[in-house]
Amino acid sequence: MPEVRIKTLPPPHGGKLVDRVVRDPQMARKLMEKCSAVYDIKPTLFKGNPVRNVYREIMSVCYGFFSPVEGSMTKAELESVLEKRRLLSGWVFPYPILFDISEEDFKKLGVGPGDWLLIRLKGEPFAILEIEEVYEIVPGDVAVRTFGTPEKNPEVVKVPFDQKHTGYNIYCSLNPIILAGKYTIINEPKLRPPFDRFWYPPKRAREEFEKRGWTTVIAHQTRNVPHTGHEALMKNAAYIGDIKPCDGIVVNAIVGAKRIGDFPDEAIVEGHEMVHLAGYIKPERHLVTFTLWDMRYGNPIESLIHAVIRQNMGISFHMFGRDHAALGEYYDIFATQILWSKGIPSFGFDAPPYAVDGGFYIRPQNIEEFWFCPKCKEFAYSANCSHKGIYSRYSGSFIRGLINEGVMPPPEIYRPEVYKVVVKWWQKFGYPFNNEKYLKEREERLEVDLPHMELPAHLKK
Amino acid sequence: MAKYLGVIIDEKRMAAIKGTPLEEKVESIFGGALRRLVIEVPDDLGQKVIDQFTKARFDARGFIEETPAAFKRAIFKRIAEMKELSAAVVEKVLAEDLDKVKEEAAKEDKELPVPDIDISDVLELQKNPVQKPA
């Protein structure tokens, strides 16, 4: 008889969790001695607005979210990712992870392969990059190849990417010089509130699941304050499991520079937390977490990085809805579900990502849609409810529009407690959504503070 | 494929269209929790609206969303004036009201008045979070 019980958490992607964080200050000092130059991280700007900060990628690499990736990709690795969505080791990985600097900074630093670069964040030593290779990229080319084109990827790409797409702008705005090599964090950042209580890097997440006795866990990807449709999705998707529904529902928010008009990350993580604090899902079954990543809005491509992150955290299932991590109409709205049900050959997947070499243990739960149906008197699943003309479909954009017009969303859309979390951060920032002011201020504040650490004498010059 | 533009109808807007043919066209959504009027527009006109505002987009339902509140106000004003739900309403706003809408939208992007509601219950709940920092 085949075993139907799921008794263990899935292994990390690539077999082993990356942990490149030095917690011993003496060791950190020794490593700094080997560095030959210092570089202060600068945010990636598009039309003067921050769209990315490489510190978030360094955090996600070093704490194991992106295992088995250990640093900024070499040229061969970058080509492999863009061509096949695979690392050179054969493991699936969707996005270029790059440490980019300007030609001017590169000349000033005077570093090359074999050198170690000390990376500073908020004026303090943060991480080391062991430079293995230096090469040039054409940012626009990387951007196009990252997201695909209607000609090359006709299965799911509907129109060419352009400057209305935040993820495309991120890659277009990269500096042309790439320093490739492994990252090591040598001065562990302290997460700022409210993010500190949601910080569950893969190792801690796995420990937490084991403490709670969870072996079946389902992930909910979010970049939104949860409406009642999201809540219905979480609760119903979690009926998958083995001989009973999933033990745990893990919300993993993507925290980073996002598009103007999205909710601030503070409201997103606390909004999800309010779902359990206000008793809509028991806290014993619900865990709110986040990953530092400047969202690329790459729909099927983004779903692959989600699978990497969540499998590394020990999660067994992943819910994928319509328009997953999407922006605009560049991709088919079901592109992610197409990928996870039959594959997208032009992106290197003749089969779904769990059925290819170097693929995932995590299993998809492709969900169509929940809507509010007054006749069913429930948040109905689209494959069940046929009350056309009666039900109301959810739309995050519609809800943001309501808030923008000063209309309080009714309880059929938002739990009142969740809406009040939005208002709490609205009071704090003077605005309910990301605007230019918020994005600029948060880019200075970031999600972390760094303890003071003295630079070695040779780097003070 | 047609696109749609929805305008939420609150008590004040309902009063403004009372007794007109528009009143019958008001739809209930979310089980009556909200009411709205919907204008159907051709694809190219929808795109023209999207092109005017940086945040605006078509959502998965085919609705034009995340336009400034000032734009929605202007649309409603023209609906009430013209007493119709046609693409001509949108064309009129784009032709005659756009400068004013953009001026108001620029202010909207910087500040929106915070709703005057009591949030003390959630602040109380947050005093005892289940999840603690490591």
Side-chain angles (χ1 to χ4, degrees):
Chain A
M1 287 281 284
E3 179 58 79
V4 294
R5 296 283 306 274
I6 297 172
K7 293 178 179 168
T8 55
L9 302 176
H13 189 50
K16 192 171 166 245
L17 275 186
V18 168
D19 179 7
R20 301 192 61 86
V21 182
V22 171
R23 294 168 176 92
D24 171 10
Q26 269 190 330
M27 175 61 75
R29 273 192 288 276
K30 272 189 191 170
L31 294 176
M32 280 198 291
E33 288 293 341
K34 294 186 182 180
C35 294
S36 55
V38 184
Y39 178 79
D40 285 294
I41 285 180
K42 301 176 177 90
T44 304
L45 303 176
F46 175 73
K47 293 186 178 171
N49 291 318
V51 288
R52 168 199 180 233
N53 191 311
V54 70
Y55 113 84
R56 297 193 180 96
E57 286 157 40
I58 297 174
M59 289 285 281
S60 290
V61 165
C62 293
Y63 280 94
F65 289 92
F66 291 170
S67 303
V69 170
E70 292 188 285
S72 168
M73 292 173 175
T74 60
K75 191 172 174 69
E77 192 104 90
L78 171 66
E79 277 303 313
S80 175
V81 166
L82 292 174
E83 272 306 300
K84 299 183 278 193
R85 310 287 156 175
R86 304 290 195 284
L87 301 171
L88 291 172
S89 57
W91 293 101
V92 170
F93 201 88
Y95 280 125
I97 300 295
L98 302 170
F99 191 85
D100 60 308
I101 60 171
S102 68
E103 285 177 40
E104 191 190 348
D105 282 339
F106 179 57
K107 276 180 201 152
K108 268 191 222 159
L109 287 172
V111 291
D115 290 331
W116 285 21
L117 179 67
L118 179 63
I119 301 167
R120 268 196 308 207
L121 181 68
K122 294 176 106 172
E124 296 292 345
F126 166 52
I128 285 169
L129 170 61
E130 299 169 39
I131 303 170
E132 190 184 322
E133 185 187 355
V134 178
Y135 63 97
E136 282 187 50
I137 57 164
V138 179
D141 177 54
V142 172
V144 169
R145 294 173 70 198
T146 295
F147 295 102
T149 63
E151 295 75 28
K152 278 196 165 178
N153 313 95
E155 307 100 313
V156 291
V157 181
K158 289 164 64 185
V159 290
F161 283 77
D162 58 24
Q163 294 199 348
K164 273 210 152 192
H165 190 274
T166 312
Y168 177 83
N169 293 340
I170 288 178
Y171 286 105
C172 283
S173 307
L174 292 183
N175 289 298
I177 307 289
I178 303 300
L179 305 183
K182 289 178 182 172
Y183 296 131
T184 308
I185 290 176
I186 48 119
N187 188 16
E188 197 172 13
K190 303 283 172 232
L191 273 294
R192 295 168 60 92
F195 300 109
D196 52 356
R197 60 186 192 273
F198 308 113
W199 179 239
Y200 284 82
K203 187 167 172 283
R204 187 182 177 213
R206 286 170 176 268
E207 286 165 2
E208 181 69 24
F209 299 169
E210 277 166 23
K211 198 170 84 188
R212 292 180 179 218
W214 292 0
T215 55
T216 52
V217 186
I218 189 161
H220 175 69
Q221 151 63 26
T222 191
R223 59 163 163 131
N224 250 314
V225 171
H227 55 57
T228 46
H230 293 130
E231 192 187 308
L233 166 65
M234 282 189 261
K235 287 171 170 171
N236 286 285
Y239 282 114
I240 200 172
D242 49 15
I243 58 167
K244 61 180 172 57
C246 276
D247 299 318
I249 299 169
V250 171
V251 174
N252 189 243
I254 293 299
V255 166
K258 293 208 195 71
R259 65 185 277 270
I260 285 177
D262 277 358
F263 283 108
D265 284 321
E266 290 84 348
I268 294 171
V269 289
E270 284 201 347
H272 277 279
E273 179 192 41
M274 194 47 66
V275 171
H276 70 234
L277 289 182
Y280 298 108
I281 301 178
K282 284 186 178 174
E284 294 84 351
R285 197 184 180 215
H286 188 239
L287 187 73
V288 181
T289 66
F290 72 92
T291 300
L292 290 167
W293 170 243
D294 300 307
M295 193 154 161
R296 294 345 190 220
Y297 300 90
N299 196 325
I301 309 299
E302 201 87 6
S303 77
L304 294 168
I305 196 84
H306 293 158
V308 170
I309 293 166
R310 280 90 200 222
Q311 185 177 316
N312 282 328
M313 291 174 74
I315 294 170
S316 6
F317 300 99
H318 202 301
M319 26 186 126
F320 294 120
R322 78 172 144 87
D323 242 354
H324 181 82
L327 178 64
E329 295 186 313
Y330 302 93
Y331 290 109
D332 184 298
I333 62 167
F334 293 107
T336 289
Q337 299 192 353
I338 293 169
L339 173 66
W340 286 88
S341 53
K342 59 179 186 180
I344 302 175
S346 67
F347 278 130
F349 295 91
D350 290 326
Y354 56 82
V356 296
D357 286 344
F360 301 102
Y361 283 81
I362 203 165
R363 292 290 181 267
Q365 171 73 311
N366 290 335
I367 295 281
E368 282 181 22
E369 190 177 353
F370 282 87
W371 52 50
F372 180 80
C373 178
K375 189 157 183 183
C376 295
K377 292 196 191 316
E378 65 178 5
F379 303 105
Y381 186 47
S382 56
N384 293 330
C385 168
S386 60
H387 299 127
K388 200 170 169 40
I390 298 175
Y391 59 73
S392 298
R393 296 176 72 189
Y394 289 92
S395 153
S397 308
F398 165 69
I399 298 170
R400 286 190 290 271
L402 281 185
I403 294 172
N404 200 38
E405 283 197 77
V407 178
M408 180 169 169
E412 287 81 357
I413 293 180
Y414 263 166
R415 300 294 189 186
E417 297 91 339
V418 171
Y419 178 65
K420 288 178 185 181
V421 169
V422 172
V423 173
K424 172 187 161 180
W425 290 100
W426 190 342
Q427 287 174 350
K428 168 103 179 152
F429 299 130
Y431 202 70
F433 312 114
N434 295 343
N435 59 8
E436 280 184 20
K437 180 171 172 277
Y438 169 84
L439 290 178
K440 274 186 184 145
E441 285 176 1
R442 88 163 274 166
E443 215 40 56
E444 284 162 25
R445 192 169 60 238
L446 300 178
E447 299 80 15
V448 296
D449 288 319
L450 281 101
H452 176 62
M453 190 179 258
E454 275 300 313
L455 276 185
H458 76 284
L459 292 175
K460 283 184 180 169
K461 292 167 206 162
Chain B
M1 201 174 117
K3 301 290 182 195
Y4 305 92
L5 186 63
V7 180
I8 291 295
I9 303 298
D10 59 10
E11 291 304 323
K12 204 173 149 195
R13 287 179 180 173
M14 197 69 201
I17 58 169
K18 206 163 175 54
T20 72
L22 291 170
E23 194 179 354
E24 282 175 18
K25 293 184 178 161
V26 173
E27 297 174 0
S28 270
I29 51 172
F30 290 94
L34 293 169
R35 289 174 300 191
R36 73 171 174 203
L37 286 171
V38 178
I39 300 176
E40 189 176 320
V41 297
D43 222 10
D44 55 342
L45 183 57
Q47 189 58 49
K48 209 168 160 189
V49 174
I50 299 285
D51 292 343
Q52 303 305 319
F53 310 108
T54 49
K55 282 184 287 183
R57 51 184 290 210
F58 298 120
D59 73 4
R61 306 165 307 158
F63 274 70
I64 302 163
E65 291 293 356
E66 299 194 62
T67 55
F71 177 68
K72 292 286 181 84
R73 281 196 300 272
I75 290 283
F76 179 75
K77 203 175 149 206
R78 292 293 182 187
I79 289 174
E81 239 174 57
M82 296 163 73
K83 297 192 175 39
E84 60 180 87
L85 292 175
S86 68
V89 169
V90 181
E91 276 161 0
K92 183 119 177 149
V93 169
L94 291 182
E96 295 182 22
D97 305 330
L98 199 57
D99 288 348
K100 193 170 171 233
V101 164
K102 284 192 172 176
E103 197 181 302
E104 286 175 25
K107 285 182 208 153
E108 240 177 70
D109 280 345
K110 293 195 176 85
E111 209 175 333
L112 281 172
V114 184
D116 182 22
I117 59 167
D118 178 16
I119 62 164
S120 57
D121 56 338
V122 301
L123 298 180
E124 196 58 36
L125 284 172
Q126 286 184 328
K127 279 184 188 164
N128 264 318
V130 179
Q131 293 180 221
K132 316 272 189 217

mmCIF file of all heavy atoms in Angstrom, chain B residues 92-106:
data_model
loop_
_atom_site.group_PDB
_atom_site.id
_atom_site.type_symbol
_atom_site.label_atom_id
_atom_site.label_comp_id
_atom_site.label_asym_id
_atom_site.label_seq_id
_atom_site.Cartn_x
_atom_site.Cartn_y
_atom_site.Cartn_z
ATOM 1 N N LYS B 92 -16.363 62.755 -22.828
ATOM 2 C CA LYS B 92 -16.587 64.144 -22.408
ATOM 3 C C LYS B 92 -15.614 64.524 -21.268
ATOM 4 O O LYS B 92 -15.026 65.604 -21.270
ATOM 5 C CB LYS B 92 -18.045 64.289 -21.949
ATOM 6 C CG LYS B 92 -18.433 65.685 -21.555
ATOM 7 C CD LYS B 92 -19.558 66.184 -22.451
ATOM 8 C CE LYS B 92 -20.015 67.549 -22.041
ATOM 9 N NZ LYS B 92 -20.487 68.341 -23.153
ATOM 10 N N VAL B 93 -15.477 63.610 -20.318
ATOM 11 C CA VAL B 93 -14.560 63.888 -19.195
ATOM 12 C C VAL B 93 -13.128 64.035 -19.719
ATOM 13 O O VAL B 93 -12.407 64.964 -19.335
ATOM 14 C CB VAL B 93 -14.645 62.773 -18.120
ATOM 15 C CG1 VAL B 93 -13.519 62.902 -17.110
ATOM 16 C CG2 VAL B 93 -15.998 62.834 -17.415
ATOM 17 N N LEU B 94 -12.738 63.135 -20.602
ATOM 18 C CA LEU B 94 -11.368 63.208 -21.144
ATOM 19 C C LEU B 94 -11.168 64.503 -21.945
ATOM 20 O O LEU B 94 -10.103 65.111 -21.908
ATOM 21 C CB LEU B 94 -11.063 62.005 -22.030
ATOM 22 C CG LEU B 94 -10.943 60.647 -21.310
ATOM 23 C CD1 LEU B 94 -10.587 59.541 -22.304
ATOM 24 C CD2 LEU B 94 -9.902 60.669 -20.191
ATOM 25 N N ALA B 95 -12.203 64.919 -22.622
ATOM 26 C CA ALA B 95 -12.061 66.115 -23.471
ATOM 27 C C ALA B 95 -12.132 67.412 -22.673
ATOM 28 O O ALA B 95 -11.422 68.370 -22.969
ATOM 29 C CB ALA B 95 -13.157 66.103 -24.541
ATOM 30 N N GLU B 96 -12.988 67.445 -21.656
ATOM 31 C CA GLU B 96 -13.244 68.738 -21.005
ATOM 32 C C GLU B 96 -12.780 68.859 -19.559
ATOM 33 O O GLU B 96 -12.615 69.968 -19.062
ATOM 34 C CB GLU B 96 -14.754 69.046 -21.091
ATOM 35 C CG GLU B 96 -15.199 69.238 -22.530
ATOM 36 C CD GLU B 96 -16.675 69.586 -22.663
ATOM 37 O OE1 GLU B 96 -17.262 70.084 -21.679
ATOM 38 O OE2 GLU B 96 -17.225 69.348 -23.746
ATOM 39 N N ASP B 97 -12.621 67.722 -18.872
ATOM 40 C CA ASP B 97 -12.338 67.823 -17.428
ATOM 41 C C ASP B 97 -10.936 67.354 -17.040
ATOM 42 O O ASP B 97 -10.575 67.390 -15.866
ATOM 43 C CB ASP B 97 -13.357 66.966 -16.638
ATOM 44 C CG ASP B 97 -14.789 67.330 -16.966
ATOM 45 O OD1 ASP B 97 -15.031 68.492 -17.297
ATOM 46 O OD2 ASP B 97 -15.664 66.443 -16.885
ATOM 47 N N LEU B 98 -10.184 66.881 -18.021
ATOM 48 C CA LEU B 98 -8.948 66.181 -17.689
ATOM 49 C C LEU B 98 -7.928 67.042 -16.932
ATOM 50 O O LEU B 98 -7.308 66.572 -15.967
ATOM 51 C CB LEU B 98 -8.323 65.611 -18.967
ATOM 52 C CG LEU B 98 -7.309 64.501 -18.734
ATOM 53 C CD1 LEU B 98 -7.904 63.345 -17.947
ATOM 54 C CD2 LEU B 98 -6.778 63.993 -20.072
ATOM 55 N N ASP B 99 -7.761 68.299 -17.334
ATOM 56 C CA ASP B 99 -6.767 69.143 -16.660
ATOM 57 C C ASP B 99 -7.093 69.293 -15.181
ATOM 58 O O ASP B 99 -6.228 69.157 -14.315
ATOM 59 C CB ASP B 99 -6.708 70.531 -17.323
ATOM 60 C CG ASP B 99 -6.034 70.444 -18.686
ATOM 61 O OD1 ASP B 99 -5.437 69.390 -18.961
ATOM 62 O OD2 ASP B 99 -6.137 71.411 -19.467
ATOM 63 N N LYS B 100 -8.371 69.578 -14.916
ATOM 64 C CA LYS B 100 -8.780 69.757 -13.518
ATOM 65 C C LYS B 100 -8.615 68.441 -12.734
ATOM 66 O O LYS B 100 -8.142 68.427 -11.596
ATOM 67 C CB LYS B 100 -10.242 70.218 -13.485
ATOM 68 C CG LYS B 100 -10.652 70.717 -12.132
ATOM 69 C CD LYS B 100 -12.010 71.388 -12.153
ATOM 70 C CE LYS B 100 -12.448 71.662 -10.733
ATOM 71 N NZ LYS B 100 -13.753 71.149 -10.417
ATOM 72 N N VAL B 101 -8.992 67.346 -13.384
ATOM 73 C CA VAL B 101 -8.863 66.039 -12.728
ATOM 74 C C VAL B 101 -7.398 65.773 -12.378
ATOM 75 O O VAL B 101 -7.066 65.354 -11.270
ATOM 76 C CB VAL B 101 -9.413 64.911 -13.653
ATOM 77 C CG1 VAL B 101 -8.958 63.541 -13.186
ATOM 78 C CG2 VAL B 101 -10.933 64.966 -13.725
ATOM 79 N N LYS B 102 -6.527 66.061 -13.314
ATOM 80 C CA LYS B 102 -5.093 65.787 -13.082
ATOM 81 C C LYS B 102 -4.539 66.674 -11.969
ATOM 82 O O LYS B 102 -3.691 66.247 -11.184
ATOM 83 C CB LYS B 102 -4.301 65.962 -14.372
ATOM 84 C CG LYS B 102 -4.512 64.785 -15.319
ATOM 85 C CD LYS B 102 -3.527 64.779 -16.458
ATOM 86 C CE LYS B 102 -3.648 63.495 -17.249
ATOM 87 N NZ LYS B 102 -2.801 63.436 -18.415
ATOM 88 N N GLU B 103 -5.015 67.897 -11.938
ATOM 89 C CA GLU B 103 -4.581 68.825 -10.887
ATOM 90 C C GLU B 103 -5.003 68.297 -9.507
ATOM 91 O O GLU B 103 -4.205 68.238 -8.572
ATOM 92 C CB GLU B 103 -5.261 70.169 -11.161
ATOM 93 C CG GLU B 103 -4.655 71.353 -10.438
ATOM 94 C CD GLU B 103 -5.459 72.607 -10.796
ATOM 95 O OE1 GLU B 103 -5.553 72.933 -12.006
ATOM 96 O OE2 GLU B 103 -6.005 73.194 -9.862
ATOM 97 N N GLU B 104 -6.258 67.868 -9.420
ATOM 98 C CA GLU B 104 -6.748 67.321 -8.144
ATOM 99 C C GLU B 104 -6.059 66.001 -7.816
ATOM 100 O O GLU B 104 -5.763 65.709 -6.660
ATOM 101 C CB GLU B 104 -8.264 67.103 -8.204
ATOM 102 C CG GLU B 104 -9.046 68.402 -8.141
ATOM 103 C CD GLU B 104 -10.548 68.200 -8.316
ATOM 104 O OE1 GLU B 104 -11.043 67.096 -8.023
ATOM 105 O OE2 GLU B 104 -11.216 69.144 -8.763
ATOM 106 N N ALA B 105 -5.791 65.196 -8.846
ATOM 107 C CA ALA B 105 -5.148 63.895 -8.632
ATOM 108 C C ALA B 105 -3.739 64.066 -8.064
ATOM 109 O O ALA B 105 -3.290 63.265 -7.239
ATOM 110 C CB ALA B 105 -5.108 63.118 -9.932
ATOM 111 N N ALA B 106 -3.049 65.111 -8.495
ATOM 112 C CA ALA B 106 -1.688 65.344 -7.999
ATOM 113 C C ALA B 106 -1.719 65.581 -6.490
ATOM 114 O O ALA B 106 -0.846 65.120 -5.747
ATOM 115 C CB ALA B 106 -1.065 66.531 -8.726
#
